[in-house]
Amino acid sequence: MLRLLRPLLVSLLLIAPAAFAEALYQVELIVFRQAEKAVPASQPAPEDWAGKAAALPATAQRSPALTGEAEKLAAKGYQVLLHQAWQQDVTGSPAAVRFSTGKERDGHFPVEGVLDLAQGRQLELKLTTWVNRFNAEGFLAGSERLQIARRLIPGQLTYLDHPSLGALIRVSPL
């Protein structure tokens, strides 16, 4: 009997890590201005700001759940620049997606960024967000950049700090 079970146990052990290697999460991101004066980045957002990050398909978009938090920020005088939610598969290797809001001008958006999530022993986040300023002709004149790498606790609302910008993010398993 043990001889028959041994191959079955070995195959289950080989299959099990693959089953847990990918998980589905709901990601919700709020980017806001927390200072009256912008702190510009040393260089504006690069031409290829998204790199190889995948665009979010329309089917991945979700209704934001953190509307109460966004309203509290606005009531306290913060300017909410972006509030988006989406569904995303997260694997052991980084899964970069790009996000943006506003009208595209000169290949850039008023707010644009790349969010990288990877699930290992912990949930790892890499976030780069640019808040762009355009001149009268519609060309990119300058940017602010919020760049953070952090471990997240799934389901917990996390505050990400910057001298003139801030972000709230919650990544919840589905």
Side-chain angles (χ1 to χ4, degrees):
M1 181 73 169
L2 187 57
R3 275 190 216 174
L4 295 174
L5 288 178
R6 189 172 289 151
L8 179 61
L9 288 173
V10 169
S11 63
L12 284 174
L13 288 173
L14 293 174
I15 294 170
F20 295 109
E22 186 172 314
L24 191 59
Y25 285 89
Q26 170 135 340
V27 178
E28 187 159 357
L29 177 65
I30 301 172
V31 177
F32 57 94
R33 181 170 308 288
Q34 63 182 8
E36 288 186 30
K37 187 170 183 172
V39 177
S42 58
Q43 296 180 339
E47 291 298 318
D48 186 22
W49 62 270
K52 294 181 181 180
L56 286 167
T59 57
Q61 298 291 330
R62 297 290 178 257
S63 295
L66 298 174
T67 53
E69 285 76 359
E71 290 169 357
K72 288 178 191 175
L73 287 168
K76 292 182 180 182
Y78 298 107
Q79 180 186 6
V80 175
L81 304 170
L82 175 133
H83 186 187
Q84 292 183 352
W86 62 88
Q87 184 175 307
Q88 181 177 349
D89 287 326
V90 178
T91 63
S93 58
V97 296
R98 64 179 182 240
F99 57 89
S100 61
T101 190
K103 182 182 173 189
E104 182 180 6
R105 293 186 274 180
D106 192 30
H108 292 278
F109 296 87
V111 180
E112 59 195 17
V114 175
L115 186 135
D116 223 344
L117 288 172
Q119 177 71 57
R121 292 180 57 146
Q122 297 180 326
L123 189 59
E124 302 283 340
L125 164 76
K126 289 182 185 174
L127 174 68
T128 303
T129 303
W130 290 275
V131 176
N132 297 315
R133 187 174 35 84
F134 299 92
N135 63 20
E137 291 81 32
F139 295 109
L140 186 62
S143 302
E144 294 172 84
R145 183 177 73 182
L146 167 68
Q147 187 170 16
I148 292 184
R150 172 140 334 137
R151 289 187 180 116
L152 299 177
I153 297 171
Q156 181 176 314
L157 185 62
T158 303
Y159 169 65
L160 307 171
D161 194 18
H162 176 274
S164 64
L165 301 172
L168 292 174
I169 187 165
R170 184 168 61 193
V171 180
S172 303
L174 292 176

